[in-house]
């Protein structure tokens, strides 16, 4: 694939529903990152993976948020019992370099816009 | 902790003119990278330019250049010969060596190019 692919592009969930957001990174990219972007603000870190290992999940807002990357490629961000404050754009990014390479740019997908009603 | 400050919520520039978008940062990491990303209304974050903390020269990529002043902790983006397609949100970001997996972003600057 040419770039990072995220699906769905838009998701509307009723409060209390569970949602799953998918990210297909660029083929061969070792590192994968999830960010949350509120309207009019910059992205906020959620979690990142190197291959299948989740190295840092300190940015996940609560235990309702869970991310996985079981085979080191596709990743899923799951939000249980969604709340209105979860409404945001969820951005996925990947990088060819190892996750701890501070000089490596991130390649982002188009994001999933989640609206919780 | 790291912090990125972008003090210009919105900027206007005439087509074909140059514009500077401001970014200041704060970090205790000895080594770090500074990045600029462009986010059009479509939502995708596009990498523009990178500057390493030990780089002696300012980075340039086509019409983009980064005015890096380490002592002042500033990393301003200069766009020369603005085009209508440059209208977008621009984010300054950094990664430090102690927790490089976590990028810190500013709140962005909305650039509007006028014809």
């Amino acid at each position: 694939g040419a770039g990072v692919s995220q699906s769905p592009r838009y998701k509307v969930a009723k409060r209390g529903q569970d949602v799953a957001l998918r990210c297909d990174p660029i083929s061969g990219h070792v590192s994968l990152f999830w960010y949350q972007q509120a309207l009019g603000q910059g992205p906020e870190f959620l979690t990142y993976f190197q291959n299948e290992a989740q190295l840092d999940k300190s940015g996940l807002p609560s235990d309702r948020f869970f991310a996985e990357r079981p085979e080191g490629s596709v990743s899923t961000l799951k939000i249980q019992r969604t709340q209105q404050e979860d409404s945001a754009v969820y951005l996925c990014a990947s990088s060819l370099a190892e996750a701890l390479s501070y000089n490596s740019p991130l390649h982002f997908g188009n994001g999933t816009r989640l609206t919780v009603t | 902790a790291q912090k990125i400050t972008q003090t210009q919520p919105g900027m206007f520039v005439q087509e074909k003119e140059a514009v500077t978008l401001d970014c200041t940062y704060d970090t205790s990491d000895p080594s770090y990278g500074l990045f600029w990303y462009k986010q059009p209304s479509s939502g995708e974050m596009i990498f523009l330019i990178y500057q390493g903390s030990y780089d002696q020269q300012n980075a340039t990529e086509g019409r983009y250049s980064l005015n890096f002043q380490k002592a002042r902790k500033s990393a301003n983006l200069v766009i020369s010969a603005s085009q209508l397609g440059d209208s977008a949100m621009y984010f300054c970001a950094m990664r430090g060596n102690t927790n490089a997996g976590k990028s810190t972003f500013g709140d962005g600057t909305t650039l509007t190019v006028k014809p």
Side-chain angles (χ1 to χ4, degrees), chain A residues 55-77:
Chain A
L55 299 186
D56 188 336
K57 56 180 181 180
S58 63
L60 296 176
S62 75
D63 58 8
R64 296 185 296 104
F65 287 70
F66 172 76
E68 60 182 4
R69 194 187 186 200
E71 297 178 0
S73 55
V74 171
S75 177
T76 304
L77 177 66

Side-chain angles (χ1 to χ4, degrees), chain A residues 85-116:
Chain A
E85 61 263 28
D86 300 335
S87 295
V89 174
Y90 291 85
L91 295 169
C92 176
S94 68
S95 174
L96 182 61
E98 293 184 352
L100 299 183
S101 297
Y102 67 84
N103 57 356
S104 182
L106 304 183
H107 302 270
F108 284 86
N110 285 330
T112 294
R113 182 177 296 277
L114 173 65
T115 304
V116 181

Side-chain angles (χ1 to χ4, degrees), chain A residues 9 33 35 37 40-43 45 48 56 58 91 95 98-106 108-110, chain B residues 31-33 35 37 39 42-45 47 50 54 89 91 95-97 99-103 105-107:
Chain A
R9 189 80 171 89
F33 309 80
Y35 284 80
Q37 186 176 21
Q41 296 183 15
F45 169 79
Y48 71 85
D56 188 336
S58 63
L91 295 169
S95 174
E98 293 184 352
L100 299 183
S101 297
Y102 67 84
N103 57 356
S104 182
L106 304 183
F108 284 86
N110 285 330
Chain B
S31 304
Y32 50 88
F35 304 83
Y37 293 89
Q39 189 176 42
S42 60
E44 183 179 0
M45 196 81 76
F47 165 69
Y50 163 80
Y54 292 113
M89 191 84 157
F91 290 95
R95 300 177 74 175
N97 67 302
N99 193 356
K102 185 184 296 189
S103 295
F105 288 78
D107 282 336

